[in-house]
Amino acid sequence: MTTTLAGPSTTSLGPEADIAVVHGRRVPTGLFIGGEWRTAETTFAVLDPATGDEIAQLSDGGPADAIAALDAAADAQSRWRHVAPRDRADLFTRAHGLLLSRAAEFADVMTAESGKPLAESRAEFALSAEFFLWYTEQIAHLHGTWAPASHGGYRVITTHQPVGPALLITPWNFPMLMIARKAGAALAAGCPVIVKSAKETPLTCALFVETLREAGFPSGVVNLVHTTDSGPVSAALMADERLRKVSFTGSTGVGATLLEQAAPGIINTSMELGGDGPFIVLDDADVELAAQQAVVSKFRNAGQACVAANRIIVHTDVIGQFTERFVELTKELVVGNGFHAGVDVGPIISERQRDTVVGLVETLRAAGAELLVGGSAHDGAGYFFEPTVFRVHDRPQELCSRELFAPIATVYEVASTAEAIAFANDTKYGLAAYVFTKDLSRAVAVSERLDFGMVGVNRGIMADPAAAFGGVKASGLGREGGHDAIHDYLEPKYLALTVNEEEGLS
Ligand code: NAD
C-alpha cells in the first residue's frame, strides 16, 4: 500500500514563521517541528565573522523541543516510508527546482554567516544541489534481489526498508553541503529527519528546511532544531529508542561521544570526522600544478575543511622549487569580506577559533618551524588571519595527528617515496590524501598504500555526488555520495518464500 502526497504549499515563509532579514534575504528564525515554525523561549545571536556584528536572533531549542521533533518524525515514519517511489522522486524534483531558483539567496546567506567568499558559497550551493539531484535520481531505482535457496524449496528475496527516524548533525564549515547530502540520502531512503544545525551557521539550514516545506514535504518528515546546548539535546534524542539513526559530521571527539551514546540502543551510525590530509609531491611531479592545487586544497574556506592539505610532504629534489612557487601564490591571495569582489580568503568562523589559530602559530614557532609567509591576525573588526606557510624541519610530536583546520600550511621534506608513504600514514586519521606525480603507474601504487578513504591524484579537490566521500580510522564510518551511500539509511530485509518445486506442474 502506498501513501499519496498532497500538493505543494504555495505560501512562502507563511505568517507563522518569524523572519530575520539577512543581507536582504528573508530567513525563518524558529524551530521547525511537525510542519510548523515554532518560537522557543530564548534566542541566540548569529554573528557575521567578517565584522563581528549580529545578523540575526534565532530560537534556541532544548531537549523538550528535540523530543517534540522526534514525536513528529516517529509519527510521520509510517506514512513517509510507504510513499510510492515515483511520488517521492517527484517531490524531490520539485524541491530541487525550488532550491535552484533560490541559488542567489543561499549564497548570500552562507557568506553572511560563514564569511566564505561569495564565489565559494556559489560553488558550495551548486555542489549541494547536485547531491540532492543525485539522490532524487536514485529514489525510483532502488532494487532488491531474488535467488533460489541453496538447497531449493524456497526463494531468497531481498528488499530494503528505511532505517527509521534519523538525527542529522552538521558542522559550520560547509553549512549547505553537509545538510544537503545528509538530508538528501535520508529522505530519499524514506527516513524522516531531525536536523541539528551548527549554532554558528544555522541560517542556511533554516532556508534549506523552509525550501523543503514549500516543496510540499509532509508534516513531520523534516524537522529542524537549533540549539546552543548540543550535548543535552542530542543526548535526549539518542536515549530515545524511537531514534534509529544518527549521521554526524564534525570533530572526532564529538563523534566518539555519539558512538558511545548510540551503543545502548544499538543506533545505526554514520560518522564523517576529522582529517589530517597528507599532500604528497613526488620527485617527478608537475611542480607548477602541485603548487596551484596546494593553494586551493589548503586555503579554500580559510583552511577550515576536513579534506584540506594538512601536511604538505615534498621530495627533496623538488622542495626548493615547490616551496618558492607555493609561497609566491600564497602571497597573491586577497583576504577580506566575502562579499567584496576579488577576495580569495574570508575570515575564520569565530573569535574563539581565530584565537586557536593564533595559538597554533605559536606552537609551530616553538617547535622550530620556519615561517615563510603570513603568521598574523588582522587588526580591526572581523576574525581575519593571513594565509600562512611554515617549513617544518623536524616532525614535532605535538603536531602529529593534529588537524590544523586553519589557513596555515606546513611543508615537510622527505628523501624518498617510501618515506613519504610512511609519514603520510603516520596519523590516527584516514580521510583524504593527495599525490602528485607524472607517472600513472606510480600514482596507483602509492594510492594503494595510503591508508585513507579518498586519494586525489594530481588534484587538490575531489568532492562529487558520484563519489563515495568518507574516511577510515578516526576519520569515520560510512560514506556520503556514490551509489551505495543511500544504503546508510536503508536496512536489507530478507523474505523467505516457500516454493513447492514440483507441485502444480503436472
Ligand atoms: P564539532 O564536532 O565541534 O561540531 C559539529 C557539530 O556537532 C555542531 O553542530 C555542534 O553543535 C555539534 N556538537 C558539538 N558537541 C556535541 C555533542 N556533545 N553532541 C552532539 N552534537 C554536538 O566540529 P566543528 O568544529 O563544528 O567542525 C570541525 C570538525 O568537523 C573538524 O574536525 C572537521 O574535520 C570535521 N569535519 C568533517 C567532515 C567530513 O566529512 N569528514 C566535514 C566537515 C567537517
Side-chain angles (χ1 to χ4, degrees), residues 6-61:
S9 156
T10 48
T11 327
S12 172
L13 295 171
E16 67 278 23
D18 285 343
I19 300 298
V21 179
V22 176
H23 205 79
R25 308 300 192 178
R26 290 159 59 78
V27 185
T29 58
L31 315 176
F32 190 68
I33 298 171
E36 55 184 39
W37 289 102
R38 299 183 186 179
T39 307
E41 279 173 15
T42 54
T43 61
F44 66 100
V46 181
L47 306 183
D48 174 353
T51 60
D53 294 341
E54 179 182 313
I55 51 174
Q57 282 283 337
L58 261 69
S59 276
D60 195 355

Side-chain angles (χ1 to χ4, degrees), residues 75 117 128 275 421 429:
D75 185 52
S128 309
I421 295 169
Y429 293 109

